[in-house]
Amino acid sequence: MNNIRIGFIGLGNMGKPMAEQLLQAEYPLTVFNRDQEKQSPLVKLGAKAAENPAEAAAESDFIIIMVSDDRAIKAIFEGENGLSHINLKDKIIINMSTVSPGISKEIAALCQAQGGEYLDAPVSGSVKQAETGQLVIMVGGKHAAFEKTKPILNVMGKLANLVGDTGAGNNAKLAINSLLALYAQGLAETVLFAQEKGIEPAALLELIGNAAIGNTFTKIKGDAILADNYKAAFALKHIVKDLKLAQAEGISTPLVSAALKTFESAEKQYGEEDIIAILKALDIK
């Protein structure tokens, strides 16, 4: 068993399989989730359950956070039994959530004031990649902290790169998710256009899959379209959040601006469904 102790906060669609990868690698793991029922499957696999974020972090050397947004991060640090209430000396906080660079800089300063380190380390990939340890991880922060953390990141991902100082990982993720929005909307529009012209989606998607424009995303989301399966692997509401974060950081290019309008208009009806449910929003007849 590895003697490096890890606290893991946030056991949603992505956090749970990521935590499972760490357990399989025999890291001692303490887990916390706001809905504590989600801790049970990890406890059955050998994790220790915590009552709150502070307890998850107190006995850990590294603390991984995988939650939904800036507000959740602030609650984990500043709320009752939050991380700001414990001694963070010599601990490394790894925030793998997709959040703003601003919140990362704020929390990094808090950690450093207490003698700890902070890395923003969001991931590219969905549930399948999390389940198989094939995520791509982009990291912002100090090189020394990254080097200490890399063996842990390599358990959860196939690639972990330091891309700059605090907040750089967040900016890289916002750039990638802006492209993700364009992929999803482009694929949906392409399928709908071909369908209008009498071409079956299955026939079109086979062509795309064998052409230079085919990729893992078009394969996974193409299969979802054919199966009429819009269960959220990456919820449409989250791409709206990410595009707004990118917009707040200054992105104003024509395609991303148009995509934000499209996804934002679809959010009320399809926000809890997968990103590729944008096809249903566009299929207005």
Side-chain angles (χ1 to χ4, degrees):
M1 176 178 285
N2 202 307
N3 61 2
I4 295 174
R5 303 167 302 170
I6 301 174
F8 203 110
I9 300 170
L11 302 172
N13 286 347
M14 294 291 288
K16 178 177 175 289
M18 291 165 67
E20 287 173 347
Q21 292 294 315
L22 295 171
L23 284 171
Q24 289 175 20
E26 299 188 334
Y27 281 99
L29 199 66
T30 301
V31 297
F32 171 76
N33 194 78
R34 186 172 57 182
D35 176 1
Q36 295 194 6
E37 288 184 7
K38 292 186 177 181
Q39 297 174 177
S40 298
L42 278 301
V43 171
K44 289 178 181 177
L45 293 174
K48 177 183 176 182
E51 292 294 322
N52 52 61
E55 184 181 329
E59 298 181 3
S60 300
D61 306 302
F62 295 81
I63 300 100
I64 296 172
I65 304 171
M66 188 61 167
V67 294
S68 57
D69 54 27
D70 285 24
R71 186 179 349 181
I73 293 297
K74 286 187 79 71
I76 287 167
F77 277 87
E78 299 176 3
E80 185 179 3
N81 296 311
L83 301 191
S84 63
H85 302 302
I86 67 168
N87 182 6
L88 296 177
K89 183 174 173 55
D90 297 328
K91 298 182 186 293
I92 298 179
I93 311 296
I94 311 163
N95 185 2
M96 306 190 77
S97 318
T98 300
V99 294
S100 72
I103 195 71
S104 280
K105 290 173 183 177
E106 179 182 334
I107 299 300
L110 184 154
C111 292
Q112 288 164 12
Q114 296 189 36
E117 292 286 353
Y118 175 94
L119 298 171
D120 47 288
V123 306
S124 180
S126 194
V127 174
K128 182 65 175 176
Q129 288 73 42
E131 290 173 341
T132 54
Q134 294 294 299
L135 295 168
V136 172
I137 305 169
M138 53 220 78
V139 185
K142 293 182 179 178
H143 184 267
F146 170 69
E147 287 298 321
K148 291 176 184 176
T149 306
K150 195 168 183 181
I152 295 170
L153 300 179
N154 286 341
V155 171
M156 297 178 285
K158 65 179 179 180
L159 177 69
N161 281 354
L162 182 69
V163 296
D165 207 346
T166 302
N170 297 136
N171 277 320
K173 178 61 188 292
L174 296 180
I176 286 174
N177 274 19
S178 297
L179 180 59
L180 177 70
L182 303 183
Y183 274 171
Q185 184 170 335
L187 180 62
E189 291 183 6
T190 299
V191 170
L192 290 172
F193 171 74
Q195 200 167 25
E196 285 178 4
K197 300 304 177 184
I199 301 166
E200 290 295 322
L204 179 73
L205 289 164
E206 184 178 7
L207 295 172
I208 290 173
N210 285 279
I213 56 172
N215 55 40
T216 301
F217 182 85
T218 59
K219 166 64 176 163
I220 292 172
K221 298 310 178 185
D223 287 347
I225 290 169
L226 295 179
D228 197 32
N229 175 19
Y230 298 98
K231 180 180 178 182
F234 180 71
L236 188 148
K237 66 181 180 182
H238 293 319
I239 199 66
V240 176
K241 180 226 11 167
D242 295 348
L243 290 173
K244 286 180 176 178
L245 288 175
Q247 185 182 62
E249 290 301 309
I251 194 167
S252 59
T253 48
L255 288 178
V256 173
S257 298
L260 175 55
K261 289 180 182 178
T262 305
F263 282 98
E264 199 167 16
S265 67
E267 183 180 15
K268 184 175 181 181
Q269 187 170 359
Y270 300 107
E272 298 298 331
E273 297 187 50
D274 191 74
I275 185 174
I276 202 59
I278 196 65
L279 181 142
K280 296 196 287 185
L282 294 166
D283 190 17
I284 304 170
K285 296 187 182 66

